[in-house]
Amino acid sequence: MDFTSLVNQRKIKPIGRTHIKDNKIFMNFSGSGVTFKTRGEKLIIKFYATKFDDNNACPFVSVLIDDTRIDYKVNEEYKIIEIPISSSIHNVSILKRTETSVSFLAIEEIIVDEFIPLQEENKFKIEFYGDSLTCGFGNLSNNPEDKFSTETESFLDSYAYLLSQKLNADYSAICVSGFPIYKSRWNEGFPIDSVADMISICDYSEDMKMETSIPWDNSKFIPNLVVVNLGTNDCSYFTEGQKWVDDLIVKYGSFENVLDSEEMKKELVSLENKIISFLDDIFALYKNVKVIWALGMIYVNPHIQEVFDRVLNNYNNSNVYQFNFKVREICDERGAVYHPNKKMHLIASEELAKFIKEIYK
């Protein structure tokens, strides 16, 4: 199937960071995929997947037909899905529900009676950078004791996707569970260890190095707004239970004393510099874009929050905004591994949508 031709003819519109390889359109990051308009009674989609045989890691895909959403578990290397549709014109989107670090997903073929060319739309564009919160980790669960599984992860029920729908915006999401802006205990030793370093790549896996990643051309999607939701996992690096911190507690007698130590201050300065560097990279790519740095869907340690407060308040660009979610005060209902559930994500999307409308007045 010639996806390049279909994209060039505007019969298929890519969503998020997709790339075409071996006549497949890869849609690896959360929420990436395609949208198109079709006429007729035929809709057959052939998928290619990795980790298809791992119950906790196999990818899930959402197919949206007009106002109807159907979710599928892609549990075969090559899985064919045939969906009966009425003889009419339909708007169809095929979106990856789960995250790139767990498994890759591609469309090998789409069979319809007719593709109808899409109309040009000058839509508001949002690019998201985030961790498990943006991925929608565990949000389909209502049991905090549940472990991670792609079964309960849904980007389409995340604050990011819901926000995009509320604002009728195109989006792109670069997000990986457990990842920080600077350092996290959940990904120590990984060759790429910060979402900030993924600013110009198409996908991510745990063993991936920059030189083995697929590059992304940032001119393909120039956002009006960048939303960054990073920093929560950095708390895991700057607290008790992390070896370097525990060693300092032995040296200084208490965690409170460690917070005043030169070693801790040096690492917090490194965090500060990483935030600044990432903002610099965003503005180098996107010039006049607005940036919202959002925190608070999960508790953030005060000494980490102080760093973000200081950097974001003093960064030399008036297009940078800080946003602190209040959702935990309104509703504290958790999904898998104590992550926010669907209801919390919905409230968070409403909070952030209201803030965005205020800054664009």
Side-chain angles (χ1 to χ4, degrees), residues 100-160:
T100 179
S101 62
V102 187
S103 51
F104 285 176
L105 183 68
I107 301 169
E108 187 172 61
E109 193 168 13
I110 301 171
I111 301 172
V112 296
D113 289 324
E114 180 187 1
F115 285 105
I116 299 173
L118 297 164
Q119 299 299 311
E120 283 280 357
E121 289 184 277
N122 186 22
K123 295 179 72 174
F124 190 75
K125 293 182 175 65
I126 308 175
E127 189 158 85
F128 296 92
Y129 292 88
D131 51 31
S132 57
L133 298 170
T134 304
C135 294
F137 180 119
N139 60 5
L140 298 185
S141 165
N142 286 306
N143 183 0
E145 301 301 324
D146 282 348
K147 304 301 182 185
F148 173 78
S149 169
T150 49
E151 189 91 38
T152 60
E153 181 176 80
S154 175
F155 177 79
L156 278 80
D157 294 284
S158 74
Y159 79 91

Side-chain angles (χ1 to χ4, degrees), residues 192-259:
I192 301 175
D193 60 4
S194 167
V195 173
D197 299 330
M198 301 178 192
I199 194 166
S200 296
I201 64 176
C202 273
D203 49 21
Y204 171 79
S205 62
E206 291 179 356
D207 60 349
M208 185 178 286
K209 301 176 182 178
M210 290 305 298
E211 55 266 30
T212 59
S213 64
I214 301 292
W216 171 254
D217 178 359
N218 292 83
S219 68
K220 289 183 178 180
F221 186 90
I222 299 177
N224 306 97
L225 172 66
V226 170
V227 174
V228 184
N229 191 346
L230 290 170
T232 303
N233 288 311
D234 294 85
C235 294
S236 71
Y237 175 74
F238 286 95
T239 194
E240 296 170 85
Q242 192 70 357
K243 186 179 184 306
W244 76 278
V245 175
D246 289 346
D247 289 345
L248 292 178
I249 291 172
V250 172
K251 180 178 178 180
Y252 292 106
S254 71
F255 182 65
E256 289 69 26
N257 290 339
V258 169
L259 290 177

Side-chain angles (χ1 to χ4, degrees), residues 207-335:
D207 60 349
M208 185 178 286
K209 301 176 182 178
M210 290 305 298
E211 55 266 30
T212 59
S213 64
I214 301 292
W216 171 254
D217 178 359
N218 292 83
S219 68
K220 289 183 178 180
F221 186 90
I222 299 177
N224 306 97
L225 172 66
V226 170
V227 174
V228 184
N229 191 346
L230 290 170
T232 303
N233 288 311
D234 294 85
C235 294
S236 71
Y237 175 74
F238 286 95
T239 194
E240 296 170 85
Q242 192 70 357
K243 186 179 184 306
W244 76 278
V245 175
D246 289 346
D247 289 345
L248 292 178
I249 291 172
V250 172
K251 180 178 178 180
Y252 292 106
S254 71
F255 182 65
E256 289 69 26
N257 290 339
V258 169
L259 290 177
D260 289 327
S261 70
E262 290 304 312
E263 293 94 332
M264 175 63 79
K265 290 176 182 177
K266 182 179 178 181
E267 279 297 284
L268 289 172
V269 167
S270 294
L271 167 62
E272 190 171 321
N273 290 337
K274 187 69 174 184
I275 299 167
I276 294 168
S277 174
F278 186 39
L279 288 170
D280 289 346
D281 289 344
I282 290 170
F283 286 111
L285 286 169
Y286 301 136
K287 308 302 180 191
N288 297 318
V289 69
K290 292 184 186 295
V291 177
I292 296 174
W293 203 301
L295 286 170
M297 286 182 72
I298 289 179
Y299 174 78
V300 176
N301 296 338
H303 58 291
I304 301 302
Q305 186 68 59
E306 286 175 11
V307 174
F308 282 93
D309 291 345
R310 181 170 59 254
V311 174
L312 298 174
N313 287 332
N314 294 306
Y315 186 77
N316 190 29
N317 191 312
S318 61
N319 280 338
V320 174
Y321 302 81
Q322 186 174 8
F323 179 77
N324 291 308
F325 289 103
K326 303 296 183 187
V327 61
R328 288 183 296 117
E329 300 170 15
I330 302 166
C331 167
D332 199 7
E333 298 181 9
R334 303 306 180 99

Side-chain angles (χ1 to χ4, degrees), residues 40-182:
E41 300 178 346
K42 186 183 295 180
L43 176 55
I44 301 170
I45 311 161
K46 186 175 182 180
F47 293 100
Y48 162 77
T50 65
K51 303 287 184 69
F52 57 90
D53 54 352
D54 184 334
N55 283 333
N56 292 319
C58 70
F60 279 74
V61 66
S62 295
V63 179
L64 293 84
I65 304 170
D66 302 322
D67 296 323
T68 301
R69 168 181 154 189
I70 314 168
D71 289 359
Y72 296 95
K73 184 178 187 177
V74 187
N75 54 356
E76 302 169 42
E77 185 175 15
Y78 290 95
K79 186 179 183 76
I80 298 175
I81 295 172
E82 186 167 355
I83 306 172
I85 56 176
S86 61
S87 181
S88 183
I89 294 176
H90 297 283
N91 294 302
V92 179
S93 295
I94 306 168
L95 305 175
K96 192 179 183 210
R97 206 186 80 184
T98 49
E99 62 183 285
T100 179
S101 62
V102 187
S103 51
F104 285 176
L105 183 68
I107 301 169
E108 187 172 61
E109 193 168 13
I110 301 171
I111 301 172
V112 296
D113 289 324
E114 180 187 1
F115 285 105
I116 299 173
L118 297 164
Q119 299 299 311
E120 283 280 357
E121 289 184 277
N122 186 22
K123 295 179 72 174
F124 190 75
K125 293 182 175 65
I126 308 175
E127 189 158 85
F128 296 92
Y129 292 88
D131 51 31
S132 57
L133 298 170
T134 304
C135 294
F137 180 119
N139 60 5
L140 298 185
S141 165
N142 286 306
N143 183 0
E145 301 301 324
D146 282 348
K147 304 301 182 185
F148 173 78
S149 169
T150 49
E151 189 91 38
T152 60
E153 181 176 80
S154 175
F155 177 79
L156 278 80
D157 294 284
S158 74
Y159 79 91
Y161 181 80
L162 297 172
L163 173 70
S164 301
Q165 298 307 294
K166 291 177 192 301
L167 300 180
N168 189 30
D170 282 342
Y171 67 84
S172 179
I174 301 90
C175 49
V176 183
S177 291
F179 271 61
I181 176 64
Y182 174 52

